[in-house]
Amino acid sequence: MSGVDLSTTYLGLELDNPLVPSASPLSRSLDNCRRLEDAGAAAIVMYSLYEEELRHDEEIMTRFLIHQEAGRAATDSFLPLHEAYQRGQDQYLEQLATLKESLDIPVIASLNGVSRGDWVEQGKALEQAGADALELNAYYIAADPAQSGIQVEERYLALMRELHGLVGIPISVKLSPHFSSIPHMVEKLAREGADGVVLFNRFYQPDIEPETLQVTPRLHLSTSDEALLAMRWIAILYGRVSVSLAATGGIHTAMDVVKMLLAGAHVTHLCSALLKHGPEHLIEVKADLERWLEKKEYQSVSDIQGLVSQRYLGDPAAFERANYVWVLDNYTPAASMRR
Ligand SMILES: Cc1cc2nc3c(=O)[nH]c(=O)nc-3n(C[C@H](O)[C@H](O)[C@H](O)COP(=O)(O)O)c2cc1C
């Protein structure tokens, strides 16, 4: 058995290690969640409960009530549809309760939406159903030229403020990388009560199908290369903000985990790697992480957290503009281009 201490703290939760599967369809199945726990997951973030689902529920309920008022004949024709539809919210709460009952590790529920309104109140129901923490994912595409950056930020802050007023459990915000000042935004979220941020939300880019002139959704799984985006910002934020830092995007191997920890992450979220290789992939990542720490003679994960953050680096500019000119100027074109 390894003598290395892998424990870490995230959102005030004491975790056995920094490996936390992020929101994905895996958490829709209890069997997969058990496999993740057995493979070493320190906590689980559930798939999201979407604002759209909750609004759809409200619409269905309104239609049902209108039909009821319209008379029994109309109600009868509507009932099968209503009965066939188990409310997304109920299903989610049921799954959360099942996971809480069956797993020993903390379960983080995920609320996903962008507008203010009643749907945010679901946070209270998630807390009552036993969620150990909440992740707020405001997947928002700012497409209106009349809307300023400050207005976009206010949308996130208002959601955070509202949720914080409703629940007592810790809240993390899964953020977009598209803010003018990420550190300032994180600071403002912390002032509204955020306990952590998850960097970064991955936006699925729609593609254009030239033959049919259709816009088609495209979802591809990540590779380790994508981890560099979150790594830079975690390295910049570490020690400067008071919130927990979770890294998501492109974390596939123990080396990806090590690099995020060196940058300053408190936990690392895996999704694509687990969808690709299955829950047991975590066994290998955890074992490799332990081996690396042992080989380097570190005693614990906390020994390396933030070691290569901007705060502790000899050359703090390395994460900023420095190297930018050097990297571009020193790019070597292919041999055929050098004649
Ligand atoms: C199939 C799939 C489903 C996902 N579902 C959710 C979701 O319900 N809520 C959410 O916040 N993120 C969701 N994500 C995003 C992941 O949690 C993760 O942040 C992102 O995929 C980047 O991590 P990765 O590079 O390890 O895949 C999903 C990703 C995939 C691939």
Side-chain angles (χ1 to χ4, degrees):
M1 220 180 102
S2 155
V4 182
D5 175 10
L6 294 184
S7 67
T8 185
T9 304
Y10 176 58
L11 305 175
L13 305 168
E14 304 292 331
L15 303 182
D16 279 353
N17 67 65
L19 306 176
V20 177
S22 67
S24 90
L26 284 176
S27 52
R28 290 182 185 271
S29 135
L30 171 60
D31 181 51
N32 281 333
C33 291
R34 283 207 173 107
R35 285 169 62 189
L36 286 166
E37 182 177 55
D38 291 345
I44 281 185
V45 184
M46 278 180 77
Y47 61 94
S48 291
L49 178 57
Y50 293 93
E51 172 188 351
E52 288 81 353
E53 272 180 283
L54 295 165
R55 289 201 186 288
H56 185 51
D57 286 353
E58 272 169 33
E59 276 163 28
I60 287 211
M61 193 48 82
T62 309
R63 272 179 63 202
F64 178 66
L65 293 173
I66 288 170
H67 274 76
Q68 261 190 335
E69 275 177 17
R72 184 145 179 82
T75 315
D76 284 350
S77 67
F78 179 71
L79 266 175
L81 172 65
H82 180 69
E83 278 169 4
Y85 187 88
Q86 197 194 353
R87 303 181 72 200
Q89 176 202 0
D90 290 347
Q91 261 176 358
Y92 196 91
L93 292 174
E94 244 171 63
Q95 179 68 350
L96 170 56
T98 304
L99 296 186
K100 277 305 295 172
E101 210 176 274
S102 317
L103 306 176
D104 291 327
I105 54 178
V107 178
I108 300 171
S110 165
L111 262 183
N112 195 318
V114 290
S115 38
R116 299 179 68 176
D118 292 350
W119 73 275
V120 185
E121 287 181 16
Q122 294 312 316
K124 225 168 14 189
L126 297 173
E127 178 177 30
Q128 280 159 5
D132 294 283
L134 283 184
E135 189 171 289
L136 173 65
N137 183 342
Y139 188 105
Y140 182 64
I141 304 293
D144 180 359
Q147 192 182 36
S148 71
I150 290 177
Q151 286 168 316
V152 174
E153 289 184 6
E154 183 48 35
R155 184 179 275 269
Y156 279 73
L157 296 170
L159 278 176
M160 181 59 226
R161 200 175 300 134
E162 212 164 319
L163 198 54
H164 183 55
L166 288 167
V167 304
I169 50 178
I171 305 170
S172 61
V173 187
K174 196 166 184 176
L175 274 186
S176 144
H178 308 303
F179 286 100
S180 302
S181 170
I182 288 168
H184 186 65
M185 187 63 202
V186 172
E187 202 48 58
K188 286 208 282 193
L189 284 164
R191 266 184 249 141
E192 296 296 349
D195 300 279
V197 286
V198 183
L199 306 180
F200 285 110
N201 216 345
R202 192 159 171 254
F203 288 91
Y204 301 100
Q205 316 294 354
D207 202 354
I208 291 178
E209 184 56 65
E211 288 305 316
T212 60
L213 306 184
Q214 298 290 312
V215 175
T216 50
R218 272 265 301 271
L219 171 62
H220 69 272
L221 297 181
S222 68
T223 63
S224 292
D225 282 348
E226 290 182 33
L228 300 183
L229 176 67
M231 209 179 77
R232 160 186 272 178
W233 285 105
I234 284 178
I236 289 174
L237 291 174
Y238 179 82
R240 282 193 172 151
V241 290
S242 51
V243 296
S244 293
L245 301 172
T248 180
I251 301 169
H252 288 241
T253 66
M255 269 311 100
D256 299 330
V257 173
V258 165
K259 288 197 272 184
M260 288 298 188
L261 295 172
L262 288 168
H266 296 102
V267 293
T268 55
H269 286 317
L270 291 87
C271 173
S272 288
L274 299 174
L275 290 173
K276 216 183 284 181
H277 306 295
E280 286 70 30
H281 179 65
L282 273 183
I283 298 174
E284 185 183 324
V285 175
K286 191 172 164 213
D288 287 350
L289 172 64
E290 276 173 336
R291 261 194 295 277
W292 187 87
L293 288 165
E294 258 170 2
K295 195 176 82 185
K296 295 287 183 185
E297 299 184 0
Y298 292 113
Q299 310 296 314
S300 66
V301 153
S302 59
D303 280 353
I304 67 163
Q305 265 162 341
L307 212 54
V308 193
S309 63
Q310 198 176 39
R311 185 181 193 176
Y312 294 123
L313 207 58
D315 172 18
F319 285 110
E320 296 181 18
R321 193 178 158 91
N323 295 342
Y324 164 70
V325 178
W326 187 91
V327 167
L328 297 185
D329 271 359
N330 286 278
Y331 178 76
T332 312
S336 60
M337 311 284 280
R338 275 186 252 135
R339 277 185 226 125

